[in-house]
Amino acid sequence: MQVSDILRIKGTALFTVSPRTPLHEAARTMALHDVGSLVVMDDGRLAGMLTFREVLGAMASDNGARPDVGRLMQRDPVHCAPTTSLDELRRLLLDSGTRYIPVMDGTTLLGVISFRDVARAVVQEQDFENRMLKAYIRDWPPETAQPSGGVS
């Protein structure tokens, strides 16, 4: 299974903001669409990612400032290609400590994959393998009785 397969199942709906978007508007967008991250686009290019982690961090250190997304976003986020395998993707997410990863084809943003999307894909892949193994076992040819080859 590859990242492109996960995107095909998940869909490619993207929610984006610009670096100049006020944080409260970005947080409202995240809440409205029930997403944990937003892609930050600047002049049609990926500029960064804003996740609930940055939003909560800004709220926790609120000193009356009203920051915009560009001051809080993760710049140059770790990303993957549509041909990245599921195993490579899991390792990349774990090693980088990120929960959301943009999928890039060159400079074109194709979608965002979350840790949850990966977990769902793994479960679906395991369910499929289990069904195939059970079908194989169920259809196992019966053993035929061997004639007793006694010598007379």
Side-chain angles (χ1 to χ4, degrees):
M1 183 176 278
Q2 294 184 327
V3 166
S4 58
D5 299 318
I6 298 171
L7 279 180
R8 192 173 22 262
I9 294 166
K10 172 190 174 163
T12 56
L14 284 172
F15 299 99
T16 65
V17 292
S18 88
R20 294 163 293 287
T21 302
L23 180 61
H24 70 278
E25 284 182 30
R28 185 177 301 125
T29 300
M30 292 170 84
L32 179 66
H33 298 288
D34 192 26
V35 294
S37 70
L38 296 172
V39 178
V40 184
M41 299 293 286
D42 195 14
D43 292 326
R45 293 186 160 268
L46 175 68
M49 292 287 293
L50 181 74
T51 70
F52 62 86
R53 184 180 295 165
E54 289 82 30
V55 173
L56 290 175
M59 290 173 60
S61 65
D62 184 16
N63 56 6
R66 304 285 260 170
D68 59 21
V69 167
R71 290 187 34 215
L72 300 171
M73 69 182 183
Q74 302 169 14
R75 298 178 189 285
D76 301 318
V78 173
H79 61 277
C80 67
T83 56
T84 303
S85 74
L86 181 58
D87 287 338
E88 290 175 272
L89 179 61
R90 290 189 313 192
R91 193 171 321 284
L92 183 60
L93 286 168
L94 289 171
D95 291 347
S96 67
T98 187
R99 293 183 180 122
Y100 303 93
I101 188 163
V103 180
M104 303 292 293
D105 187 7
T107 58
T108 303
L109 177 66
L110 300 178
V112 174
I113 299 230
S114 71
F115 204 84
R116 181 176 184 204
D117 298 328
V118 172
R120 183 181 298 123
V122 168
V123 167
Q124 287 176 345
E125 189 173 55
Q126 288 173 344
D127 286 348
F128 175 76
E129 288 175 0
N130 284 338
R131 284 193 310 273
M132 294 297 105
L133 286 171
K134 287 176 181 176
Y136 179 75
I137 292 168
R138 185 179 52 245
D139 296 337
W140 192 274
E143 289 192 31
T144 56
Q146 297 293 327
S148 62
V151 179
S152 312

